[in-house]
Amino acid sequence: MNHSLKPWNTFGIQRNAKQLVRAENIQQLLDVWRNATENGEPVLILGEGSNVLFLEDFAGTVIINRLMGIKVEERADSWHLHVGAGENWHQLVQFTLENGMAGLENLALIPGCAGSSPIQNIGAYGIELKHVCEYVDCVELATGDALRLTAAQCRFGYRDSIFKHEYQDRYVIVAIGLRLAKRWQPVLTYGDLTRLDPLTVTPREVFDAVCHMRMTKLPDPKVHGNAGSFFKNPVIGSKTAGKLLAQWPSAPHYPQADGSVKLAAGWLIDQCQLKGATQGGAAVHQQQALVLINQDQATSEDVVRLAHYVRQRVGEKFNVWLEPEVRFIGRTGEVNAVETIA
């Protein structure tokens, strides 16, 4: 148990793994997975650890997915990108803009790797991965069989996909396929983007505005360890939403296609005056209440206690029960995050 996981989780929490391996090709990844499995040991495949909280030391092998490469095919109306799972997401966004391909700029500065993006169906400022995803390439770990899933087969939902359910431990994502339309339509529905002129704005200006918003509101993990948004924005029924909005008419809310309403978790937490609240070395970020930070050598227990405290306070005030967006990893694999903090 002497392989430190501290460099492999952006929370910067000190936990160890029995073994740690960087996989640079599919065969190497499969071989390591099979060796561990044959020895009856758990395996965890990580990108950059930007969305995990290690609750304990990991009792098996952690594989760092470093399958690289970006291929671009140009067609009459679109560009089609085939991106290795180990590519850094933000660098991919920069690559597309530098090469005249727009469409990913709203997703700038989202931490993590390309291969993690479909698991969460990452999203920000009005765009989700599902809007640009064409396919996801996986390999079945037990057999080595390759499988290409269309975007529809990925069952993308809000911070959700098939990779969080029946494909979670059976398949590893090795690449993603993206389609970027040549007829660019800016999405300017959130935050500072609403102040930009849709008739004259450029993809680079959207990218710069998104980067500015994220850098001014969100803490740098190199300074204060964090995993970005800790909680999902809750989605509630229209009846519940009606009652809540009658009492708090200024609450940010976003009606969904199915009649439900998405609320802003950060606003709910802020209304409970929780910015700066601490448990041990963990704190609610002063600028963005949705982010829990490792303020002073926090343990995972500190983070769990703080998440529980935040959830209880919001639940008592609004009768809305927050769920973590971050994946909680126990000794042998992922555990239920809601149950852990309930």
Side-chain angles (χ1 to χ4, degrees), residues 106-321:
N106 293 54
L107 304 176
L109 278 182
I110 290 181
C113 291
S116 311
S117 63
I119 300 173
Q120 286 286 101
N121 180 28
I122 60 169
Y125 303 111
I127 291 277
E128 291 183 339
L129 182 81
K130 69 177 182 183
H131 297 132
V132 292
C133 182
E134 196 165 30
Y135 60 79
V136 176
D137 281 351
C138 316
V139 170
E140 189 171 20
L141 289 159
T143 62
D145 293 343
L147 175 70
R148 174 166 289 186
L149 295 181
T150 64
Q153 289 170 321
C154 292
R155 296 216 311 262
F156 289 127
Y158 172 58
R159 299 295 173 270
D160 200 27
S161 71
I162 197 168
F163 305 107
K164 283 192 160 185
H165 302 286
E166 57 264 50
Y167 280 25
Q168 185 173 4
D169 297 317
R170 285 175 54 204
Y171 290 88
V172 59
I173 294 169
V174 296
I176 62 170
L178 304 177
R179 179 188 180 276
L180 301 179
K182 288 187 175 177
R183 277 191 63 183
W184 178 64
Q185 299 257 280
V187 176
L188 307 173
T189 45
Y190 283 80
D192 297 352
L193 301 181
T194 57
R195 297 205 277 274
L196 299 173
D197 182 347
L199 299 177
T200 59
V201 71
T202 66
R204 174 62 66 175
E205 285 168 344
V206 175
F207 172 86
D208 288 343
V210 167
C211 289
H212 177 73
M213 282 189 286
R214 290 188 79 97
M215 288 193 296
T216 50
K217 279 188 189 165
L218 299 173
D220 181 347
K222 294 180 189 73
V223 181
H224 286 127
N226 71 86
S229 302
F230 193 89
F231 296 101
K232 297 176 187 175
N233 287 321
V235 179
I236 60 175
S238 55
K239 212 179 251 180
T240 314
K243 280 186 203 157
L244 189 143
L245 291 167
Q247 208 173 341
W248 288 280
S250 64
H253 60 284
Y254 308 94
Q256 305 296 293
D258 62 0
S260 62
V261 177
K262 187 193 287 184
L263 303 173
W267 184 88
L268 298 171
I269 298 166
D270 203 11
Q271 295 310 298
C272 299
Q273 274 84 49
L274 289 173
K275 280 182 179 168
T278 60
Q279 291 282 338
V284 178
H285 186 51
Q286 288 282 9
Q287 269 79 45
Q288 171 50 277
L290 196 50
V291 180
L292 305 188
I293 62 171
N294 178 352
Q295 184 165 272
D296 183 20
Q297 297 180 333
T299 63
S300 48
E301 290 86 355
D302 294 341
V303 178
V304 169
R305 278 204 308 275
L306 182 60
H308 168 79
Y309 177 65
V310 169
R311 185 174 194 260
Q312 288 301 121
R313 289 283 300 274
V314 170
E316 286 158 13
K317 185 167 178 123
F318 295 103
N319 197 27
V320 172
W321 297 88

Side-chain angles (χ1 to χ4, degrees), residues 25-87:
N25 60 62
I26 294 171
Q27 194 54 53
Q28 183 191 9
L29 192 153
L30 289 173
D31 289 346
V32 173
W33 186 87
R34 280 183 191 141
N35 281 343
T37 308
E38 282 162 14
N39 292 331
E41 292 179 356
V43 185
L44 177 70
I45 300 171
L46 270 192
E48 293 183 357
S50 61
N51 200 45
V52 295
L53 177 67
F54 286 106
L55 301 178
E56 305 170 79
D57 287 345
F58 191 72
T61 299
V62 173
I63 302 174
I64 308 297
N65 181 336
R66 283 297 170 269
L67 307 176
M68 308 303 274
I70 302 173
K71 295 187 192 120
V72 181
E73 182 194 328
E74 184 174 359
R75 296 188 196 160
D77 61 347
S78 53
W79 289 280
H80 297 259
L81 285 79
H82 181 87
V83 184
E87 290 285 347

